[in-house]
Each structure stands twice: as structure tokens, then as C-alpha cells.
Amino acid sequence: MATKSYFTSESVTEGHPDKVCDQISDAVLDEIISQDPTARVACETFATTGMILVAGEISTDCYVDIPKVVRNTIREIGYTRAKFGLDCDTCSVLTAIDEQSPDIAAGVDVALETRGDSVDTDADIGAGDQGMMFGFACNETPELMPLPISLAHKLARKLTDVRKSGELSYLRPDGKTQVTVEYEDGRPVRVDTIVVSAQHDPDVSLEQIHDDIINHVINPIIPANLLDAKTRFFINPTGRFVLGGPAGDTGLTGRKIIVDTYGGYARHGGGAFSGKDPTKVDRSGAYAARYVAKNIVAAGLADKCEVEIAYAIGVANPVSILVDTFGTCKIPESKIQELVTKHFDLRPAAIIKKLDLRKPIFRKLAAYGHMGREDLNVSFEKTDMAEVLKKAAQA
């Protein structure tokens, strides 16, 4: 008899207060990196009614008009009137920026392994912090992501698309989605529950919202073979969602780390991504771990793979690397671990170089997930090492 289980993941739209902050932080990062690729940036954003605060540690020689970046980002999201939850033109924008701590900079500028030696361009940067980063991949979807978070992201993006296109013009920027998938013997077989909460104009009826979300958002996204008569739909279950955005709830950078990654399906080291330049291994290490895990699955070496990388601040080489395939490996797990060590250089400078991370690519990643984003052609989603791993495994 098949063993049933259920897993749920959520996503949020780009107008969710926390995601507004993530996008502002990464927009500031992108603007700086476009002028100074080696800048050190740790940018946090806080949003509340009528106010945005940008704070953090930034070391760069370039000039960036941060208030202008903030207002443009808010405008692009769709917060153009106070009654929507924020007005890009009239909200106050405050900044509190300092330089990176010289103690941290000393450890990052030159790694422990190369201090006093000739510079090795792949080892001269130490990890920007201690910590552990996780990457994950599985063969449930074409992009090798867990199905629940993949569907939740697609629903959230569709919610934004129908708003911005005017198809559902009464929608406003804030929104959340949630998908529960039923599994049999570890394989997804159907969608059990869908939750959509969409901010809206006060004059539209709940009945219209319900019908429109089903017809214009859910049906175009969720494959028909995953829906059945038992699938439950909860559309704006509170009955009303007019007050949204930072006016409805405060926002903060880094408060949606599970949405950013695998929807809770895999472990998370706890570090946020947005607003951090790639010397921060919270970001680059997590991207590298995803890159490794995805290539292992793409090579057919496992159906599921989780990779943990751990670092010490100021040290280039990881202090540990762990591969877990949850019993789905096609060759011994110890062999996969050997292949990872041999074929992937996971020192921060090497990651930055291999994944080409000194480019202004981060604002687009700050909504609808950082992982699985094949639509953005980001380097850490490529499977260019799959054939290498496959041939090495066969040898």
C-alpha cells in the first residue's frame, strides 16, 4: 500500500513588505556593483507606513543616489499611491550607512591560507563570515526544484502579472500564495490545497476575486492532472485584504529566507541573501551549494541531493562539505562526495569567478525565489558540470 504524505510551501509577491525590502537592498547592491564590482555591501532595509530606512555597512568609492534607487524600486513594484500601502514619490527615505568593519575587511581581503604568501587569485579572499549554507535539488520539476515551492512561486508571479497587465486591474501589489502537494511513496501525485491572498481594491466583491483568481491565476499555472474534485481552494480566506504593503505590516530585509530557497523542503543555514555582496558566503556559498546539488541530480547520480558547505570567517577553504542524497544515490554517497571535492572549488573567490557574481544580477532574484530561476539564466542554475560528473562516476 502506498505511503501518503503532504508538504506545503509558500511564496509572496514582489509587493509583500518583506520582499519590498529585499528588492530595495538588492537594487542598492546592483547599482553599486555596476560601478564598483569589488565593493563591500551589507545593506538592510526597513519599511513601515510612509517610511523606508536603508542602513548597513558599505565600502565603495562610487556614488549612488540611494533615495532615488529606493523610489524607483517602489515605483516599479507598483506602490504609486498611499492607499495602495506606500507612495513612491511622497514616502520618506532615510539612510544610515557606515563602512565595513576594518576587522572583518582584514580577514576577507586576504584569506588565512595566503597571508604573507604570494597572492593566489582563487584563494586571496577569506569567507566574509562563519556559518553553514545548504543547496538542494530534486527531480520533481524540470528546473530540479521541489514541486510545492515551484508552484507557489509561479502562482505569486502570475498574481503580479495579471495585476501589471491590467487583466485584473483591481489587484494591488501585496499578496501571498501557498501550495500543499500530496506525495505517494515520496513522489508528488496531486495538489491537495491552494491558498491565495491578494490585496485588492475595496469595491470589488469577494465572489469576483474568488472566480478571477481561479480562472486567471490558478488554472493557467497548476497542471490540470494535479487537480481533482478534492483539491481545496482558499482565496482571501479572511474575506478582505485592502490594507496591505508597508501600511499593513512592517517589512524587513531577510525575513523570507525560506521563500528565497526551497520552501522548507530542505534545510537552511539561516543566512539571508539580499543586500549582500558575493564575498558574503551567506549568499555565494548558498548559490554554490545549489549549483553542486543541481549538477549531481542532473548527472543522474541521485534523485535528491542536499549539499552543506561550512566556512570560518577569514578562511578561504570550507571547513566541511557534506552530501546527503536521502537514500536516492545511484553510486555510493562517498563517491559523490569525492567527485564534489575534486571537481568544485568552493573557496569564495573561486565561486565568485566561476559563477560570475560581480554583476548587477541580484534585484531580479529578490522576488519569486533565488533558486530554480532558469528564466534569469543565472550561472548557479546551469548544469554544465553534469556531464563531467557523469563521466567521472562511470570511470
Side-chain angles (χ1 to χ4, degrees):
M1 184 176 178
T3 301
K4 290 187 177 183
S5 60
Y6 298 83
F7 196 88
T8 302
S9 293
E10 74 157 351
S11 182
V12 298
T13 67
E14 61 196 57
H16 185 280
D18 294 329
K19 274 289 144 211
V20 170
C21 293
D22 285 342
Q23 290 168 93
I24 290 172
S25 292
D26 274 336
V28 171
L29 172 64
D30 277 357
E31 186 64 28
I32 293 171
I33 282 184
S34 67
Q35 301 179 53
D36 180 7
T38 61
R40 299 286 167 76
V41 181
C43 178
E44 309 277 353
T45 303
F46 169 79
T48 189
T49 305
M51 188 190 81
I52 302 291
L53 169 64
V54 179
E57 295 77 45
I58 298 175
S59 296
T60 182
D61 293 329
C62 73
Y63 171 75
V64 171
D65 187 343
I66 291 179
K68 182 178 179 180
V69 172
V70 170
R71 295 187 192 282
N72 285 342
T73 303
I74 297 170
R75 182 178 295 106
E76 290 168 11
I77 291 170
Y79 283 117
T80 55
R81 302 180 69 181
K83 69 177 183 178
F84 292 173
L86 193 65
D87 188 325
C88 59
D89 294 313
T90 62
C91 68
S92 61
V93 178
L94 309 178
T95 60
I97 305 295
D98 205 344
E99 291 186 333
Q100 184 182 51
S101 160
D103 298 335
I104 295 175
V108 177
D109 291 342
V110 182
L112 178 67
E113 296 93 325
T114 57
R115 289 173 204 165
D117 297 336
S118 59
V119 173
D120 174 350
T121 56
D122 281 339
D124 61 341
I125 294 177
D129 202 351
Q130 70 176 45
M132 62 284 189
M133 297 81 218
F134 290 92
F136 181 80
C138 63
N139 57 10
E140 292 182 12
T141 62
E143 67 272 25
L144 304 184
M145 286 287 285
L147 184 61
I149 188 64
S150 177
L151 294 178
H153 281 323
K154 289 175 181 177
L155 288 175
R157 192 182 307 176
K158 186 65 173 177
L159 204 57
T160 295
D161 289 345
V162 297
R163 169 178 64 87
K164 288 187 170 181
S165 70
E167 188 175 349
L168 299 182
S169 58
Y170 58 79
L171 292 181
R172 290 177 177 176
D174 203 351
K176 302 178 79 171
T177 63
Q178 185 172 288
V179 177
T180 301
V181 172
E182 180 182 316
Y183 288 77
E184 285 187 2
D185 295 331
R187 304 302 301 173
V189 295
R190 60 182 289 273
V191 170
D192 181 76
T193 307
I194 296 174
V195 183
V196 177
S197 295
Q199 186 190 11
H200 58 86
D201 184 280
D203 297 326
V204 66
S205 68
L206 181 59
E207 292 75 15
Q208 182 180 350
I209 295 171
H210 183 279
D211 291 345
D212 284 346
I213 295 299
I214 294 287
N215 294 323
H216 296 273
V217 177
I218 294 174
N219 287 341
I221 293 299
I222 307 297
N225 65 303
L226 294 179
L227 301 173
D228 58 29
K230 294 183 178 180
T231 300
R232 297 175 295 173
F233 301 93
F234 296 100
I235 314 298
N236 281 19
T238 63
R240 182 177 170 88
F241 187 4
V242 173
L243 182 63
D249 193 7
T250 58
L252 189 65
T253 298
R255 212 158 52 179
K256 284 289 177 284
I257 59 175
I258 300 303
V259 171
D260 286 343
T261 51
Y262 309 99
Y265 200 97
R267 284 173 282 196
H268 196 295
F273 302 154
S274 291
K276 297 177 181 179
D277 74 80
T279 66
K280 278 72 171 175
V281 286
D282 279 344
R283 173 164 238 156
S284 54
Y287 290 169
R290 163 65 177 171
Y291 178 60
V292 174
K294 186 172 185 179
N295 275 275
I296 290 171
V297 174
L301 305 185
D303 295 334
K304 294 182 180 181
C305 182
E306 184 178 77
V307 174
E308 183 199 37
I309 311 171
Y311 293 92
I313 187 169
V315 180
N317 288 291
V319 298
S320 71
I321 302 171
L322 175 68
V323 175
D324 188 351
T325 63
F326 308 95
T328 69
C329 55
K330 312 305 178 184
I331 63 173
E333 220 167 59
S334 58
K335 177 64 176 177
I336 298 177
Q337 185 116 5
E338 289 175 10
L339 294 175
V340 170
T341 302
K342 180 178 180 180
H343 293 283
F344 294 92
D345 189 342
L346 297 174
R347 295 174 294 176
I351 292 171
I352 292 169
K353 182 178 179 180
K354 174 68 176 178
L355 300 183
D356 200 15
L357 297 179
R358 293 199 187 278
K359 289 185 175 180
I361 61 172
F362 302 111
R363 157 74 196 283
K364 291 181 179 179
L365 288 165
Y368 314 113
H370 292 246
M371 311 306 178
R373 297 302 299 276
E374 294 182 347
D375 59 306
L376 297 178
N377 197 34
V378 287
S379 54
F380 52 87
E381 288 298 321
K382 294 180 179 179
T383 54
D384 54 339
M385 291 296 292
E387 195 60 32
V388 173
L389 293 175
K390 187 184 298 184
K391 289 180 178 179
Q394 291 170 348

